Amino acid sequence: MRHGQTDWNAQGLIQGRQDIPLNDVGREQALAAAGRLDGLRYSAVVSSPLARAAETARIIAAELGLTSVEFEADLVEQELGAAEGTPWAELEEAFPGGVIPGIEPHARLVERAAAALARIASIHEGGNVVVVSHGALINAITAQAARHRDQQPGPAANGSISELDVLDGRLDLALALITESS
């Protein structure tokens, strides 16, 4: 799932790896997401170490009755380099042609995200795991998982949940964005 809202999300600012905390709306989104996750048994909650994801994960773990959160460094958001802190509405003007110094290449983002999910699946083999991460990473990995299907996953909103299966080390999109925050 994607972390809850931050003030930068509300202001339309590009976060990337800036460590911005959840705001009150984000905390409410995390609680609502935990309610939507009820009904399955979860073996773990694994999170990006960035504050907004970590707090979302802690809220979810508490609501699901899990005592701890595991952290996976490769679940961090895409490095967006010089664009971090820029309003999304001004991105094209600030970086004509989309050339952003210091941005993590898309292929590298997909590679590290897929490797992280495969590690998590291996550690928690056969279990259901809640993974809390970030928009660009989730969008990249759901698009990758859906590429062999006739599906076009939409963008991951704050507090949204996507369902992925890892089968024999391969990602399979069960249903992208099964819920969205309100």
Side-chain angles (χ1 to χ4, degrees):
M1 77 164 287
R2 184 174 177 200
H3 62 79
Q5 184 186 78
T6 68
D7 287 343
W8 278 31
N9 291 134
Q11 296 165 14
L13 299 175
I14 297 172
Q15 291 177 114
R17 295 212 182 143
Q18 298 299 306
D19 207 6
I20 311 301
L22 291 181
N23 61 23
D24 288 340
V25 171
R27 289 180 194 94
E28 291 173 19
Q29 290 171 329
L31 281 169
R36 293 189 306 267
L37 292 169
D38 195 24
L40 282 179
R41 184 168 172 82
Y42 294 93
S43 56
V45 176
V46 182
S47 178
S48 156
L50 292 178
R52 57 195 182 266
E55 186 177 359
T56 300
R58 286 184 184 104
I59 291 168
I60 289 170
E63 290 296 310
L64 295 177
L66 297 170
T67 58
S68 65
V69 173
E70 299 170 25
F71 294 96
E72 167 59 59
D74 282 338
L75 293 176
V76 296
E77 180 61 291
Q78 181 179 22
E79 173 69 51
L80 294 171
E84 292 180 6
T86 302
W88 280 104
E90 298 173 17
L91 184 63
E92 182 58 38
E93 182 182 328
F95 302 98
V99 178
I100 302 171
I103 193 169
E104 178 183 17
H106 181 79
R108 172 67 186 125
L109 171 65
V110 170
E111 177 184 299
R112 76 172 163 82
L117 292 173
R119 280 192 304 276
I120 293 165
S122 176
I123 292 167
H124 299 283
E125 189 172 351
N128 294 310
V129 178
V130 178
V131 176
V132 182
S133 191
H134 306 274
L137 186 140
I138 294 168
N139 293 338
I141 208 68
T142 56
Q144 178 74 13
R147 70 173 199 239
H148 66 282
R149 293 186 174 220
D150 188 22
Q151 283 185 293
Q152 294 290 327
N158 291 113
S160 66
I161 300 170
S162 303
E163 184 176 330
L164 291 170
D165 290 321
V166 180
L167 307 168
D168 298 323
R170 190 185 98 240
L171 294 171
D172 186 37
L173 186 65
L175 179 61
L177 298 170
I178 59 172
T179 60
E180 284 198 22
S181 64
S182 50

